[in-house]
Amino acid sequence: MSESGFCSRRAADKLIEENRVTINGNVPELGTKVQPGDTVCVDGKMINAMPTNKSDRVYIAYNKPIGITCTTERHVKGNIIDAIRHKERIFPIGRLDKPSEGLIFLTSDGDIVNKILRAENAHDKEYIVTVDKPISERFIERMSRGVPILGTITKPCVVKPQSKFVFRIILTQGLNRQIRRMCEYLGYEVTKLKRSRIMNVELSNLKPGQWRNLSKDEMAEINAAVATSSKTSVKVDSEIKVTKNANQPILKKINNKKPSASRLSLKAKKQ
């Protein structure tokens, strides 16, 4: 269903759980494989198969203004679908908080969504951030190294000061309100947050509220970048190396072996 452009993978799972999907007239279980020639319906309406060249897919870049909510739920006031008013059924790839602005992709191609979003696929996004007080060297260093939020430590990232109150940050993660939470942990408040780039696509001269179709060259680069990307999360048992510093331990994945408690203890002592 997601590959046909009907909805996202997450929305498809929800429809299946609600028993609104049938395959050849039967209600399937989650994970049921669709075979060539099968008829898939949602609420009795048949879902057409996707052309192999995806010629009917829509890919757009939108400069989301402050106040627009990244949801496909039409009853939500200020939802992104009503804001764009595209003639095709589309949905956002990821999200930007309501108080944030800037670049976001929307598409009718459910197959590409998770390939771009998965953190382990390391597709970067760049933001311009304004905070409420002067930026210090320590702030830049701590943001770059990673800070503890939401029960984890954020991945190392690129952070560069732009002016007294403004910095740029490049993330490969997409934790909930990540930049705002990172700044808050270090005693700063974000007063303005703007996403300026996703992968190879720049916001450029796109004004707030405007959107455009992604070019063939942009899509060629995106498709090349996600060609080997996983659509689903990859769970790997990783050995943890504990590195102590003046502030707190940093956790690093160093290989695919699961360590014993004694090996962890020995590595910690060697540090």
Side-chain angles (χ1 to χ4, degrees):
M1 289 189 295
S2 66
E3 289 179 355
S4 74
F6 181 79
C7 62
S8 67
R9 294 173 66 88
R10 182 178 297 179
D13 285 344
K14 186 177 181 181
L15 290 170
I16 295 169
E17 290 170 352
E18 294 173 350
N19 295 326
R20 295 169 60 186
V21 178
T22 60
I23 300 177
N24 301 326
N26 299 313
V27 177
E29 297 179 353
L30 277 173
T32 300
K33 299 290 185 182
V34 177
Q35 304 298 328
D38 285 347
T39 299
V40 179
C41 296
V42 176
D43 296 332
K45 181 179 178 181
M46 189 170 72
I47 306 301
N48 295 320
M50 175 188 65
T52 54
N53 63 359
K54 296 188 178 182
S55 58
D56 63 339
R57 294 289 80 97
V58 174
Y59 307 94
I60 71 172
Y62 174 56
N63 187 348
K64 187 193 87 67
I66 295 171
I68 297 299
T69 303
C70 293
T71 180
T72 57
E73 297 180 9
R74 306 294 287 274
H75 67 274
V76 176
K77 186 178 180 180
N79 70 80
I80 195 169
I81 304 303
D82 286 343
I84 295 176
R85 299 189 180 187
H86 199 281
K87 63 180 181 179
E88 302 290 340
R89 179 195 290 267
I90 57 175
F91 38 86
I93 301 180
R95 66 188 306 276
L96 269 174
D97 293 335
K98 188 175 181 179
S100 302
E101 61 182 314
L103 184 62
I104 186 168
F105 293 160
L106 291 97
T107 184
S108 61
D109 180 5
D111 187 45
I112 203 171
V113 175
N114 281 4
K115 288 183 177 182
I116 291 177
L117 293 182
R118 292 295 179 188
E120 60 265 29
N121 293 333
H123 305 309
D124 53 287
K125 299 173 286 292
E126 185 171 1
Y127 302 80
I128 303 170
V129 187
T130 306
V131 289
D132 62 336
K133 57 186 180 181
I135 296 167
S136 66
E137 289 185 8
R138 177 181 178 276
F139 172 83
I140 296 297
E141 190 271 334
R142 288 298 309 277
M143 288 285 286
S144 301
R145 193 177 64 204
V147 297
I149 61 170
L150 300 173
T152 188
I153 296 176
T154 59
K155 291 184 176 182
C157 57
V158 176
V159 183
K160 295 181 179 180
Q162 291 287 105
S163 65
K164 188 175 182 180
F165 296 91
V166 180
F167 66 93
R168 286 181 177 267
I169 182 170
I170 300 174
L171 299 179
T172 57
Q173 283 178 297
L175 301 177
N176 182 260
R177 299 174 67 86
Q178 180 171 344
I179 296 173
R180 295 178 188 275
R181 292 178 189 273
M182 290 171 73
C183 290
E184 182 180 0
Y185 178 83
L186 297 173
Y188 288 73
E189 181 181 347
V190 172
T191 58
K192 184 177 181 180
L193 193 154
K194 181 178 182 178
R195 184 154 65 195
S196 59
R197 179 176 61 84
I198 301 174
M199 303 172 69
N200 60 303
V201 180
E202 300 275 356
L203 188 61
S204 299
N205 297 323
L206 206 60
K207 296 179 180 179
Q210 289 184 335
W211 62 268
R212 65 172 177 84
N213 292 313
L214 293 177
S215 69
K216 289 183 178 180
D217 288 343
E218 287 171 334
M219 284 308 305
E221 285 193 50
I222 290 172
N223 284 323
V226 303
T228 58
S229 294
S230 168
K231 299 181 194 177
T232 55
S233 180
V234 179
K235 294 182 179 180
V236 180
D237 288 330
S238 300
E239 181 172 314
I240 303 298
K241 180 178 179 181
V242 182
T243 305
K244 291 187 176 181
N245 57 60
N247 297 292
Q248 61 197 50
I250 296 177
L251 304 183
K252 296 182 179 178
K253 294 183 178 180
I254 60 174
N255 59 35
N256 293 332
K257 296 179 180 179
K258 190 172 183 179
S260 65
S262 60
R263 286 171 66 193
L264 277 176
S265 176
L266 178 61
K267 286 184 176 291
K269 288 179 180 179
K270 288 182 178 180
Q271 300 299 319

